[in-house]
Amino acid sequence: MKYLCLLQLVCLAGCIASRSREWAHHGAPIFADLTVHEMKAVRAYLHGIPEMGLTNARSRALNKNSILLMELHLPKKHEALKALDRGHAKPPRQARVIIQFGNQAQPNITEYIVSPLPSPTSHEVKTFKGAKPVTFESRPITVVEYDHINDILKKISNKAHKLLFETTGGFSYSNCSNRCLTFSDIAPRGLDPGERRTWIMLQKFVEGYFIHPIGFEVLVNHQDLDPEKWTVEKVWYNSVYFDSVEELVEKYESGEVEKLKLPDHSDDDFYSTYIPRGQINTPTNIHGPKLVEPQGHRYHIDRNFVEYAGWSFAYRVRSSAGLQVFDLRFNGERIAYEISLQEAIAFYAGDTPAAMQTKYIDAGWAMGTSTFELAPGIDCPEIATFIDLYHYFDTDKPVRHKNALCIFEMTMAMPLRRHFNSDFQGGYNFFGGLENTVLVLRTTSTVYNYDYIWDFLFYPNGVVEVKVSATGYIHATFFTPNGLHYGSKVYNYVLGNLHTHLIHYKVDLDIDGRENSFETLDLKFVNFTNPWSPKHFIVQSKLHRTEHRTERSAAFRFGKKFPRYVHFYNPNKKNKWGHQKGYRIQFNSHAHSVLPRGWREENGISWSRYPLAVTRHKDSEATSSSIYTQNDPWEPAVSFENYIRNNEDIVNQDLVAWVTVGFLHVPHSEDIPNTATPGNAVGFFLRPFNFFNEDPSVASRSTVIVRPGQDGKPKIQRWTPEVIGHCVTDQPFFYNGTYAGV
């Protein structure tokens, strides 16, 4: 009877796991990015509404009505869970569409939810929490606006042609063949809400032009929708400010301005290129190590649904912000409903006006659309599965980004766990070990000069690592002696400006259900009489748990002591040993605040006050930032601080962790030509904390156990084929754990 009951329980568990997998697979398309067909259908539907008066996004006029961005609009969480947890019908797919209405008396930005897809028939206005309107000036800059900026820069450079030509040794902005100038524009675009004034610096247009400033910066007011009314408000040249280009040119010609002469640019001046130079002892005719899969993939992909070693999840790449993972499960049990990139910022300091104004808030540049093609063998292993992405931003038709996302399994070249058990007599009792392989979900964002590599890593022991690696070119400005307070000289007339990178993530944990609580664990010293030697005292650490009952209590400020463990758990579910099932977040970060609390632009990034803040889940609090924050950080459309202002109860609730990671970067000569990834990767781990009854990777058949046999020969126990293929080695596994003097 006992065995029959056990068999029934095993069958029941198997049925539940099978059904869970089936429902996860069934619900994954809820989170899939818009298809090309859906994008075209939404565009046709909106362009067919006469009162909207929509025209092409790429037409030359700025005073027009056009679609700026189109992406998936997620359903409410409780609606999605009906499909994911009960197998119900999936909620109708919807699109979020941003339209810029420039052809009206009061230009504005309006967002719509268009549905149902793929054949839309209705639309409704979408608002942010508090129904805060979006100012027209806060819109992201477009290709057409850049075209007009290019036109005014041509006019400026024509007036200052002699100055620029002499300064740079023969470079000019137009009619320049192979000695051209280009520009980088700075944001935010002004100092107050409603402004659209941009500092622009000129650079030599060579490979890696970001680190070729020429010492000429100009402030352009381009707020008016008629580019003929744009004006130049300030000019900076060789550390001096001028009120106009004409004033600068006049004083340059009269000798009142110290003339600047950059070193001659020659073809062998390769400092910003990837062209190899210098000496290296590694043979150049031999390739380095490569990943192989001797018997093919061990993961499964079906559209946006991925399965691997107990893991399953859905993914998407949101055009406005980037990579997201949904419905993350291990062995059918949900760990997180959503883990998603929200924002990336880089706040700079410097001596030139462009440098001191630079506060990049990358969602404002549609960071998610900067997912360009990945190179096999460099960005991802050759064995990876490469996937195309499609975006609709500042365009009139969907744009395909070929091979912009990759998925692959890799070895960590480090055991997941191992132990050598010595007999202390020159032999051993046993050796046991398990290789560590992970599944990697990767994409990149190249937001002008910087390249971010976004990774999700899924380990076989129930651990998830969320990581960003920074590379690309530094944001450099013209060197001045005072600039050394704000960075390092990295080349002739080039200053690498100090800056802080901060990355913000949303982590909607559902630890075996939506009803979760949050606590922190620290250590406190205790001092008590030694029970086996009363004349002595014992001093040791003792666990100190703090239950955080409100949102304010769970908002941890930078500059304050951060708890050793931050633990999310289900108070209603326990593991075999009586512990509440939980996960903890472990940080790998060197982040700190970028501005004092409440100081102007800091209001737009109030999430950056906290390495961790915990809130109750609300569909109205879907994101911590917006595409508009870059150009209006002073009165942002989305204010994260409002999410915790009401200080709601977080005990036994659906909780969201908002995680900030980052690092300070003081550029140095080794950042030439590019910032390298080692040491510039930050992120966090989600680690099981009594969620399982034991390490779930014990299920892996890649374990190897070696014991000494009675005949003195090692007895190897394994559950996978011994020889894995000539691409790796044609030698059988061998291990002899003896040791002796020589």
Side-chain angles (χ1 to χ4, degrees), residues 206-209 211-212 265 267-277 473 672-674:
V206 297
E207 285 189 13
Y209 59 85
I211 51 178
H212 287 269
H265 183 88
D267 291 337
D268 61 352
D269 193 359
F270 293 137
Y271 76 91
S272 63
T273 77
Y274 274 70
I275 298 173
R277 58 262 194 190
Y473 285 95
I672 301 300
N674 258 187

Side-chain angles (χ1 to χ4, degrees), residues 238-373:
N238 199 13
S239 298
V240 180
Y241 288 89
F242 303 89
D243 291 327
S244 67
V245 179
E246 290 80 4
E247 180 192 2
L248 166 60
V249 171
E250 180 183 339
K251 291 183 176 180
Y252 181 88
E253 294 289 353
S254 65
E256 296 178 59
V257 175
E258 180 182 352
K259 295 185 177 181
L260 178 65
K261 181 69 171 68
L262 299 181
D264 287 337
H265 183 88
S266 59
D267 291 337
D268 61 352
D269 193 359
F270 293 137
Y271 76 91
S272 63
T273 77
Y274 274 70
I275 298 173
R277 58 262 194 190
Q279 299 299 315
I280 187 170
N281 293 326
T282 303
T284 58
N285 61 337
I286 300 175
H287 282 286
K290 297 290 184 180
L291 277 178
V292 297
E293 291 178 324
Q295 294 160 301
H297 299 329
R298 300 197 301 176
Y299 56 88
H300 173 72
I301 304 173
D302 184 2
R303 293 170 295 179
N304 72 317
F305 181 68
V306 183
E307 294 177 289
Y308 168 77
W311 291 106
S312 71
F313 60 88
Y315 73 85
R316 71 179 282 223
V317 179
R318 183 162 59 114
S319 296
S320 52
L323 190 57
Q324 301 180 304
V325 163
F326 291 93
D327 193 29
L328 177 65
R329 308 188 192 203
F330 193 90
N331 289 340
E333 293 186 279
R334 183 176 299 112
I335 293 165
Y337 176 77
E338 175 186 353
I339 309 174
S340 60
L341 174 62
Q342 295 292 305
E343 186 61 273
I345 67 170
F347 276 36
Y348 287 77
D351 188 48
T352 79
M356 62 184 71
Q357 180 68 6
T358 303
K359 298 174 181 66
Y360 288 139
I361 306 173
D362 288 339
W365 306 75
M367 175 171 59
T369 66
S370 303
T371 52
F372 301 109
E373 184 173 359

Side-chain angles (χ1 to χ4, degrees), residues 547-567:
E547 182 184 32
H548 294 268
R549 303 189 64 86
T550 63
E551 291 174 326
R552 276 292 178 197
S553 167
F556 301 92
R557 293 288 304 276
F558 278 116
K560 304 290 185 180
K561 183 182 177 182
F562 193 74
R564 303 282 285 276
Y565 275 34
V566 291
H567 178 215

Side-chain angles (χ1 to χ4, degrees), residues 631-672:
N631 293 327
D632 188 359
W634 310 281
E635 295 178 355
V638 175
S639 174
F640 178 76
E641 191 67 28
N642 289 339
Y643 294 3
I644 58 178
R645 187 161 283 148
N646 53 4
N647 200 27
E648 289 186 288
D649 170 46
I650 58 170
V651 176
N652 207 15
Q653 302 289 342
D654 189 357
L655 302 183
V656 177
W658 303 88
V659 175
T660 305
V661 297
F663 63 96
L664 168 67
H665 185 187
V666 181
H668 42 89
S669 54
E670 293 81 9
D671 282 310
I672 301 300

Side-chain angles (χ1 to χ4, degrees), residues 102-135:
N103 187 21
Q104 52 191 53
Q106 293 295 324
N108 70 81
I109 297 289
T110 304
E111 297 199 3
Y112 293 95
I113 299 172
V114 180
S115 63
L117 304 181
S119 303
T121 57
S122 67
H123 61 282
E124 60 179 295
V125 173
K126 177 185 179 297
T127 60
F128 291 100
K129 186 175 183 179
K132 182 174 174 54
V134 177
T135 62

